[in-house]
Amino acid sequence: ADKVAIPSKSATPEEWREVFTKLGAPEDAGAYEFSDSDISVNDDLIGTFRDRALTAGLTNSQANEMMGFVRDTISGLETDMSETTEKALYEGEQELRQEFGQAFDQRLELAQMAAKDLLGSTDIFDEITLSDGRMLGDHPEVVKMFSQLAEQIGEDNLEGAPTELVMTPQEAQRQVSEMT
């Protein structure tokens, strides 16, 4: 009476469902219970996972094991993305510090003022995430662009802009070349 007959190759999904149920799979996808974890998983993903686990005929313990794998994978991806973002932010700042030299802080401030003056709101820079995890406003090319725009607009037109600008290394070299 406890024996389970293995369906033939031409068995229907309903016949397989009976076998899976006898082997311990729940009859409803909502019956899967997953152990809590520190890693949060999207509710839609969990719902889809439950449906797939039921279709595959997984028992609750098998589904829990697979959910553990999903959570570990998500955790690893989040860690990798965090490290990638930190590295990109550091490299971007170093690139700007190299180009702007002692004028770094001033150029950054001018770029922010120009962006605010031209766009009205700089919220867009905090809403768009780039593929490397940085926000749009943290990308060195965007900062350089607004810094150059600030130069073209002129400090007289930017409210709160410093009156005396510090030279970048390139500007200092250009001035030395002109004098010699």
Side-chain angles (χ1 to χ4, degrees):
D2 292 339
K3 302 220 189 272
V4 177
I6 304 287
S8 67
K9 291 182 181 180
S10 60
T12 65
E14 291 78 25
E15 292 172 323
W16 277 106
R17 167 84 357 248
E18 285 180 37
V19 171
F20 296 148
T21 303
K22 287 180 183 177
L23 292 173
E27 293 183 21
D28 179 50
Y32 285 110
E33 295 179 15
F34 302 117
S35 57
D36 291 335
S37 173
D38 294 340
I39 306 299
S40 63
V41 178
N42 182 308
D43 288 339
D44 292 335
L45 177 64
I46 290 176
T48 302
F49 183 84
R50 282 187 168 123
D51 292 339
R52 292 289 179 97
L54 184 68
T55 302
L58 298 179
T59 64
N60 195 54
S61 65
Q62 290 169 326
N64 253 308
E65 188 65 30
M66 295 309 299
M67 181 54 77
F69 170 75
V70 169
R71 285 187 171 135
D72 291 348
T73 301
I74 289 172
S75 174
L77 291 173
E78 288 174 348
T79 301
D80 290 347
M81 186 60 167
S82 176
E83 290 171 1
T84 300
T85 300
E86 287 178 27
K87 181 179 177 189
L89 284 169
Y90 177 78
E91 289 173 354
E93 182 179 334
Q94 293 308 309
E95 179 182 334
L96 290 172
R97 286 186 182 281
Q98 178 76 26
E99 183 165 328
F100 293 154
Q102 291 182 349
F104 173 78
D105 292 327
Q106 190 177 54
R107 291 297 177 119
L108 197 60
E109 184 180 341
L110 284 172
Q112 290 169 344
M113 283 191 276
K116 190 169 188 168
D117 189 51
L118 294 169
L119 299 175
S121 170
T122 56
D123 292 343
I124 191 169
F125 296 119
D126 297 327
E127 294 172 357
I128 298 176
T129 304
L130 302 175
S131 62
D132 61 7
R134 287 184 289 190
M135 302 309 291
L136 178 62
D138 293 331
H139 196 284
E141 294 303 319
V142 172
V143 175
K144 288 178 196 177
M145 176 185 69
F146 278 102
S147 175
Q148 290 171 353
L149 285 171
E151 280 183 48
Q152 292 173 4
I153 292 171
E155 64 269 7
D156 295 338
N157 296 330
L158 291 175
E159 188 176 317
T163 54
E164 191 165 315
L165 294 176
V166 177
M167 282 191 236
T168 65
Q170 292 86 359
E171 291 170 337
Q173 185 61 41
R174 194 174 332 120
Q175 193 172 21
V176 167
S177 297
E178 287 174 7
M179 288 179 167
T180 56

